[in-house]
Amino acid sequence: MKARELRELSIDELERKLEELRRELFNLRFQQATHQLKNPVRIRFVRRDIARILTILKEKERVS
């Protein structure tokens, strides 16, 4: 997701998205450990999306 799209979401929506991405990252790591991962680059994208969401959440906390 783009940062611009994430900034439009509310804090609750960002937290839900964050939980969803963390679950996906866990599943991807599990697949990687069992040698079933088909797209290893997806791990990098998910980690970056998590970082973006955490950054935007911190920005919103400072403003509030």
Side-chain angles (χ1 to χ4, degrees), residues 9-16 56-57 60-61 64:
L9 300 176
S10 70
I11 292 176
D12 290 335
E13 291 171 327
L14 287 171
E15 289 174 349
R16 269 190 252 115
I56 292 169
L57 282 171
K60 289 185 179 244
E61 284 178 8
S64 299

Side-chain angles (χ1 to χ4, degrees), residues 44-57:
R44 184 185 327 158
F45 291 135
V46 171
R47 287 178 63 221
R48 288 180 182 178
D49 283 344
I50 289 171
R52 277 189 197 100
I53 290 174
L54 290 172
T55 301
I56 292 169
L57 282 171

Side-chain angles (χ1 to χ4, degrees), residues 6-55:
L6 292 172
R7 282 191 178 93
E8 294 172 359
L9 300 176
S10 70
I11 292 176
D12 290 335
E13 291 171 327
L14 287 171
E15 289 174 349
R16 269 190 252 115
K17 185 74 174 163
L18 179 63
E19 185 63 32
E20 177 184 317
L21 287 171
R22 284 184 171 161
R23 230 178 278 120
E24 182 180 353
L25 182 60
F26 172 80
N27 290 330
L28 290 170
R29 286 180 176 160
F30 192 81
Q31 289 174 9
Q32 185 178 31
T34 59
H35 303 287
Q36 296 176 350
L37 187 61
K38 292 184 168 92
N39 185 7
V41 178
R42 180 74 182 138
I43 292 175
R44 184 185 327 158
F45 291 135
V46 171
R47 287 178 63 221
R48 288 180 182 178
D49 283 344
I50 289 171
R52 277 189 197 100
I53 290 174
L54 290 172
T55 301

